[in-house]
Amino acid sequence: MAQYAILIYANDSAHAPQATPEDLAIHDKHAAELEEAGAVVAAFALTPRDMATSIRGDVVTDGPFVEAKEVVAGFYVIEAPDLDAALEIARRNPATQQGGGVEVRPVHSGGVITQPAEG
Amino acid sequence: MTAPGEIESAVADAHRRGWGLVLATTARLTRDLDLAEECVQEAYAAALVGWARDGVPKQPIAWLTTTAKRRAMDAVRRERVLRSKLPLLLEPDEMTDEELLEPVEEEAVDVVPDERLRLIFLCCHPALAEDAQLALTLRLVCGVSTSDIARMFLVSEPTMAARMTRAKKKISTARIPYRVPAAAELPDRLRSVLAVIHLLFTTGHTAPSGASLLRTDLADQSLRLARMLGELMPDEREVSGLLALLLVTDARRATRVDATGRLLRLEEQDRSQWDRSAIAEAHELIVAGLRGGRPGRYILQAAIASLYAEAPAYDQTDWPQIVTLYDELLTVWPSPVVALNRVVAVSMVAGPAQALFELEELEKDGRLDRYQYLPAIKADLLERSGRGDEAAIAYRRALDLTSNEAERAFLAERLARLDQE
């Protein structure tokens, strides 16, 4: 088994601070499917591009790093036996049907770091 | 009884002096900028009524702060659940509601400066878009209304309101902290605060487009901000440098255009009309700021502007000293705009031919391709070298790039005179 990161590109993230459950329904449904399939290692929905801050060199600016029509709206890491299997999962992402898309990248290393318990 | 108009002017004065402090203090309690703004607005409205009835309090700003904070407290208690829609401003430090409700003493307006500083650093955070930094600073620190800010920046009120809402949303969602930056990050963060104040001033001083060269409101607000920051951070030399730069530039405000709105060149301006007390105040700040350590860009810019302003006549300007200061400025701030301004001083020391040579080097660099002052200066240098045909081409290029009416008229006039010869 290998791990793949799936980066979701969309015009913007649906997960705005004031987003209603209806706004998020389609994404929640997809997340539930993935969870059921048992493939997800970690998943993160990001807030919209308006909330992004970028640093290039020493300069901090408002907005996403790359000025493009699409931004990374979220990402998740899945476990799959091979790329075909990963693509099969990735293509079901609602973003692919909404004018955006996904990028699948094999994970080199990493994971959630657990802090040692205190005391 | 109070005389008619007296209450209004007392409230207006408290608005000018106190808005930023009252808002900053209230925002710490609400941790919600919109709610804080609302409460402060209500406190000023209450002052109009209450002061007419009971007289103007001895400590008007303390009165306003207490009133705004009480309203905020009521609202926070009433709406604690409702307000959880948006994340709140990051808690600056642990203070109980009771401590936050303590009345503010009027003296504290001067001795507890960090409340306003917090607000200034929040509004000028580099993670916010530049236009939002300018707008938020005017709204939250200076208390300028959204409709006035929209007018100052030549956009519609809904556009400006949306810009500010977006910025506030980013402040709370991205969790931009409501605090004065720690010593390690202070130099960087202070630079962006100074840049905002300077940009407000230049926007007011030479409106980028539109009929009027001066938008005095903006220049006044930025001077007030620079003064406020100078009081809050008396040891920061660049802060006094910026104040000096604004003072000495603004001292020439009355003479920059003639009665018909025509732009006047420095050598045509009536020096007797310049504000000598502002120039003297700037001078003191510059002398103090040049002492100890390597001077920063604002002190150096102020020193240059001050040399222009202190010369008894244009042809008595200390050009060699100005070129030296520009050389030093270029080492701390290697900007092509600075290099271009240096070229003007070089032309006065070494003649237009040498200056043209240096300007053409700058042209090759390409970064000033869209900068209208480059062809304008080039045209002047060519004209002074007796190369009228080439000067006309440069004037036309400058006209293409300029949108301010007064500046366009100036360039068109120079061009017309050249064509007659």
Side-chain angles (χ1 to χ4, degrees):
Chain A
M1 294 293 264
Q3 289 190 342
Y4 294 89
I6 300 177
L7 311 183
I8 306 157
Y9 285 86
N11 282 339
D12 208 344
S13 167
H15 291 76
Q18 72 280 23
T20 63
E22 292 81 72
D23 294 337
L24 303 179
I26 188 165
H27 304 279
D28 288 345
K29 185 164 163 281
H30 178 61
E33 282 169 13
L34 284 178
E35 220 172 305
E36 243 166 76
V40 184
V41 177
F44 298 89
L46 306 181
T47 51
R49 65 167 81 219
D50 275 4
M51 304 301 148
T53 305
S54 302
I55 306 171
R56 192 184 291 267
D58 295 331
V59 183
V60 177
T61 51
D62 178 48
F65 189 80
V66 178
E67 271 308 330
K69 204 158 77 52
E70 288 93 4
V71 289
V72 178
F75 58 93
Y76 47 94
V77 176
I78 57 166
E79 203 132 305
D82 55 35
L83 181 63
D84 284 349
L87 293 180
E88 190 47 42
I89 294 170
R91 74 185 330 142
R92 291 201 296 257
N93 192 287
T96 58
Q97 305 304 316
Q98 297 172 331
V102 295
E103 176 179 327
V104 181
R105 299 268 290 269
V107 170
H108 175 277
S109 51
V112 176
I113 311 299
T114 342
Q115 296 295 337
E118 276 190 48
Chain B
M1 277 309 285
T2 41
E6 195 190 312
I7 299 304
E8 283 79 0
S9 76
V11 173
D13 177 63
H15 191 275
R16 214 169 20 250
R17 287 193 304 125
W19 172 279
L21 180 70
V22 179
L23 182 77
T25 315
T26 310
R28 279 192 69 192
L29 189 65
T30 60
R31 298 174 52 212
D32 173 320
L33 289 171
D34 283 332
L35 178 60
E37 249 184 276
E38 215 171 280
C39 295
V40 174
Q41 204 109 285
E42 282 175 20
Y44 276 93
L48 275 175
V49 179
W51 297 2
R53 189 183 55 230
D54 309 323
V56 177
K58 275 203 200 72
Q59 304 191 333
I61 292 169
W63 187 99
L64 285 158
T65 308
T66 308
T67 307
K69 287 207 300 188
R70 269 207 204 106
R71 277 167 202 258
M73 204 44 149
D74 290 346
V76 168
R77 286 191 179 126
R78 200 168 54 232
E79 297 179 28
R80 189 145 262 165
V81 188
L82 283 179
R83 290 197 315 137
S84 58
K85 276 182 299 190
L86 267 188
L88 298 177
L89 285 179
L90 274 196
E91 189 109 50
D93 42 44
E94 296 297 322
M95 274 178 96
T96 65
D97 288 353
E98 281 64 36
E99 281 171 317
L100 285 167
L101 258 185
E102 301 255 302
V104 174
E105 289 298 316
E106 195 79 0
E107 297 78 63
V109 174
D110 298 321
V111 298
V112 189
D114 50 328
E115 296 292 350
R116 271 174 302 174
L117 272 183
R118 244 190 262 279
L119 192 59
I120 293 171
F121 278 104
L122 180 73
C123 295
C124 300
H125 196 284
L128 299 171
E130 191 177 75
D131 51 11
Q133 294 177 32
L134 298 176
L136 277 187
T137 305
L138 285 173
R139 177 71 201 119
L140 299 180
V141 184
C142 306
V144 182
S145 72
T146 306
S147 61
D148 281 350
I149 298 171
R151 231 173 6 86
M152 288 170 176
F153 290 96
L154 312 169
V155 299
S156 74
E157 192 176 338
T159 303
M160 185 49 80
R163 196 177 285 177
M164 288 205 249
T165 304
R166 178 193 171 289
K168 285 181 193 160
K169 210 183 285 171
K170 178 157 184 188
I171 288 173
S172 51
T173 310
R175 295 166 66 89
I176 296 177
Y178 187 42
R179 62 174 174 77
V180 176
E185 39 175 354
L186 192 64
D188 260 356
R189 294 289 310 281
L190 185 58
R191 242 194 306 284
S192 88
V193 171
L194 296 175
V196 165
I197 299 176
H198 191 222
L199 195 54
L200 281 174
F201 180 83
T202 48
T203 308
H205 195 66
T206 310
S209 60
S212 163
L213 184 68
L214 299 169
R215 236 172 304 157
T216 47
D217 283 2
L218 271 176
D220 286 342
Q221 291 292 357
S222 54
L223 264 166
R224 202 167 291 143
L225 274 168
R227 252 184 221 294
M228 185 195 290
L229 200 61
E231 283 160 22
L232 298 176
M233 309 183 96
D235 298 332
E236 292 292 338
R237 292 191 299 156
E238 277 294 85
V239 175
S240 38
L242 176 66
L243 177 58
L245 176 62
L246 303 194
L247 279 169
V248 77
T249 312
D250 195 58
R252 300 193 286 107
R253 190 196 281 191
T255 66
R256 293 188 66 226
V257 289
D258 69 10
T260 65
R262 191 178 71 95
L263 192 66
L264 295 176
R265 289 196 291 172
L266 195 55
E267 59 258 52
E268 299 172 312
Q269 296 178 12
D270 176 3
R271 290 177 182 242
S272 70
Q273 296 293 304
W274 291 356
D275 181 348
R276 289 290 148 194
S277 71
I279 293 170
E281 187 188 349
H283 183 89
E284 302 258 306
L285 290 164
I286 293 161
V287 170
L290 285 173
R291 237 179 266 137
R294 194 175 185 182
R297 66 172 258 207
Y298 288 113
I299 276 289
L300 288 167
Q301 279 180 277
I304 291 168
S306 159
L307 278 177
Y308 279 111
E310 284 172 2
Y314 183 73
D315 52 16
Q316 292 176 50
T317 309
D318 187 351
W319 300 108
Q321 181 62 24
I322 287 179
V323 173
T324 308
L325 285 168
Y326 269 122
D327 288 338
E328 206 168 334
L329 181 56
L330 273 171
T331 64
V332 295
W333 185 31
S335 139
V337 173
V338 173
L340 180 65
N341 289 329
R342 182 181 167 281
V343 162
V344 177
V346 167
S347 81
M348 301 306 287
V349 177
Q354 173 64 27
L356 262 174
F357 172 77
E358 293 189 17
L359 182 133
E360 275 155 11
E361 290 298 303
L362 260 174
E363 246 178 342
K364 284 181 205 150
D365 169 300
R367 279 181 293 172
L368 296 179
D369 274 354
R370 309 282 316 156
Y371 191 66
Q372 73 266 32
Y373 299 113
L374 185 136
I377 289 168
K378 185 178 184 182
D380 180 66
L381 295 174
L382 285 165
E383 195 181 339
R384 282 161 57 193
S385 316
R387 294 157 67 179
D389 291 349
E390 292 163 85
I393 295 169
Y395 276 128
R396 287 200 184 91
R397 169 79 185 142
L399 265 170
D400 283 346
L401 295 173
T402 305
S403 52
N404 178 286
E405 296 296 337
E407 290 185 348
R408 286 185 62 84
F410 171 81
L411 292 166
E413 189 197 309
R414 297 282 303 253
L415 181 61
R417 208 165 356 152
L418 204 61
D419 285 342
Q420 278 166 17
E421 281 164 15

